[in-house]
Amino acid sequence: MKKYKFWKRSDGGATDVQQLMNETRQAYINRFYNLWMDKFKWDGLDEEMAAKEENFIMRKFWADGTIAVREHAGLLIFAPWTLASIDMYDFPATVNLVNLHAAPLSVIPSTTQTVDKDVVLGWCQPNHKSILSVVSYYVERMVSVDMVINTNLQLQKMPFLIGTTEEDKKRLQDVVSRLLNNETVIFTDLEDLQKIQAIITATPYIIDKLTDLRNSYEKELLTFLGIDNNANPVLEQTHISVDAVNANNDEINDNASAIMGEIQKWLDSIERVFGRRITITPKHPTQSVHEEPKDMNTKEDVKDVE
């Protein structure tokens, strides 16, 4: 009975498609999570707890899109919340705080809290959705494209079909191993060469087009997050003008302003209710370009050679 051995050109990595998808998805999520967590500089939080409070706030905005804050013993206490009742404008009127880690009831009470009196609620988007909900939308599409890229890449490889017997199997395995290790010169018997056949596939090369599509999804997501994407390969390849760069920057700034403006409403309410002033500023603001880059090939820059 014949036995077959399937050779792979590269070892390692996920052999299961679902595992590869999960790893790719998580890699994208990690990347955009890190960009989100580094978006703002916070001032005015409790001095000794500032780093932890900032991390907690940004994580809750990322995952939940909202957070509550109350004051206790001169400190700000941040916590998730659930709705108890709404007012006539469809905004929460009373809420219950979620005690994630069994904090004392004096810190996170179990009783219903009145909004803008006992607690202040904040959101990170005008639509009151989480950042992750939007990131996941684009990441799923980027992962889908990456899976097609991976399939197309595999089909570009040239598999070998080898007929062997038990006597020459080991010798031919050595030949194939040397081929896959990129050796440029291999000495073997003429008979061995006749047994090794390369299977040529007619799959068109479309990885460049798929990469452009994935980059366009990434650009849209970065724009939503209010993050500069002018170094994005899609923009670099189009040789865009200053007007186009500024139009792109305006859209980035509009999205950044929507997020920052919603958070600022929360901070204004905290100052009004608890008398605590907290400010945020972008760590990486996007600037407009005010003039066209100088053309190095203009007549003024070209010296005549006699």
Side-chain angles (χ1 to χ4, degrees):
M1 184 175 181
K2 294 183 178 180
K3 297 181 180 180
Y4 298 93
K5 173 73 173 180
F6 294 94
W7 293 80
K8 297 179 181 178
R9 285 187 173 270
S10 60
D11 295 324
T15 56
D16 178 76
V17 173
Q18 189 60 49
Q19 181 183 349
L20 179 59
M21 289 182 65
N22 292 339
E23 291 174 353
T24 304
R25 181 183 298 108
Q26 191 59 54
Y28 280 128
I29 292 293
N30 291 345
R31 179 191 173 199
F32 291 110
Y33 172 83
N34 291 340
L35 290 174
W36 167 252
M37 295 296 288
D38 192 48
K39 185 170 177 60
F40 299 117
K41 181 180 183 299
W42 293 72
D43 290 303
L45 296 171
D46 296 317
E47 184 175 356
E48 295 183 358
M49 301 288 290
K52 292 182 178 180
E53 290 175 350
E54 175 184 339
N55 181 276
F56 188 77
I57 292 167
M58 294 296 283
R59 281 192 288 117
K60 292 308 169 187
F61 280 157
W62 168 268
D64 303 332
T66 184
I67 195 171
V69 60
R70 68 184 298 266
E71 192 176 38
H72 172 71
L75 298 176
L76 295 176
I77 307 300
F78 300 91
W81 59 273
T82 59
L83 182 66
S85 66
I86 60 175
D87 62 19
M88 61 185 292
Y89 297 111
D90 297 327
F91 276 80
T94 58
V95 300
N96 294 311
L97 300 181
V98 179
N99 195 339
L100 292 175
H101 304 295
L105 294 181
S106 60
V107 177
I108 301 182
S110 59
T111 55
T112 299
Q113 304 290 292
T114 302
V115 175
D116 289 339
K117 179 181 178 183
D118 303 317
V119 297
V120 174
L121 305 184
W123 291 268
C124 61
Q125 289 196 77
N127 61 10
H128 293 185
K129 302 296 183 182
S130 69
I131 298 297
L132 181 59
S133 65
V134 180
V135 170
S136 294
Y137 172 86
Y138 284 101
V139 165
E140 287 303 316
R141 277 144 188 79
M142 292 165 68
V143 170
S144 296
V145 175
D146 273 342
M147 292 303 99
V148 180
I149 289 176
N150 182 69
T151 300
N152 192 258
L153 181 61
Q154 297 299 323
L155 292 174
Q156 299 303 317
K157 298 176 181 179
M158 188 179 296
F160 297 101
L161 183 63
I162 305 171
T164 67
T165 63
E166 289 298 325
E167 291 75 20
D168 60 12
K169 180 179 179 181
K170 185 175 181 180
R171 186 176 70 255
L172 289 170
Q173 284 179 341
D174 178 66
V175 173
V176 172
S177 295
R178 291 160 65 188
L179 281 171
L180 299 182
N181 285 329
N182 297 320
E183 291 192 27
T184 56
V185 178
I186 299 174
F187 297 96
T188 187
D189 295 338
L190 291 174
E191 183 181 352
D192 292 343
L193 294 178
Q194 295 174 354
K195 293 181 179 181
I196 301 176
Q197 300 179 39
I199 302 175
I200 308 298
T201 63
T203 306
Y205 182 87
I206 57 173
I207 293 177
D208 52 346
K209 296 181 177 62
L210 292 170
T211 300
D212 287 344
L213 176 60
R214 183 193 60 198
N215 289 341
S216 71
Y217 288 144
E218 179 183 350
K219 175 182 175 296
E220 288 182 21
L221 179 51
L222 290 173
T223 297
F224 159 75
L225 293 173
I227 296 173
D228 188 0
N229 55 44
N230 286 324
N232 187 286
V234 173
L235 295 179
E236 290 178 351
Q237 292 171 10
T238 55
H239 305 289
I240 55 178
S241 66
V242 167
D243 288 342
V245 171
N246 285 337
N248 182 64
N249 286 349
D250 287 345
E251 187 175 0
I252 294 171
N253 289 330
D254 288 345
N255 282 277
S257 178
I259 293 173
M260 189 168 173
E262 193 63 31
I263 297 176
Q264 188 61 51
K265 293 178 185 177
W266 179 49
L267 302 182
D268 291 342
S269 295
I270 291 175
E271 184 174 12
R272 175 171 51 82
V273 176
F274 301 128
R276 289 287 299 272
R277 179 169 175 76
I278 302 172
T279 62
I280 57 172
T281 53
K283 287 186 178 180
H284 313 287
T286 301
Q287 303 294 334
S288 295
V289 180
H290 298 291
E291 61 180 10
E292 291 280 0
K294 190 174 182 181
D295 187 353
M296 300 304 294
N297 294 321
T298 57
K299 292 182 179 179
E300 289 78 7
D301 296 322
V302 177
K303 295 182 179 180
D304 294 331
V305 178
E306 296 295 328

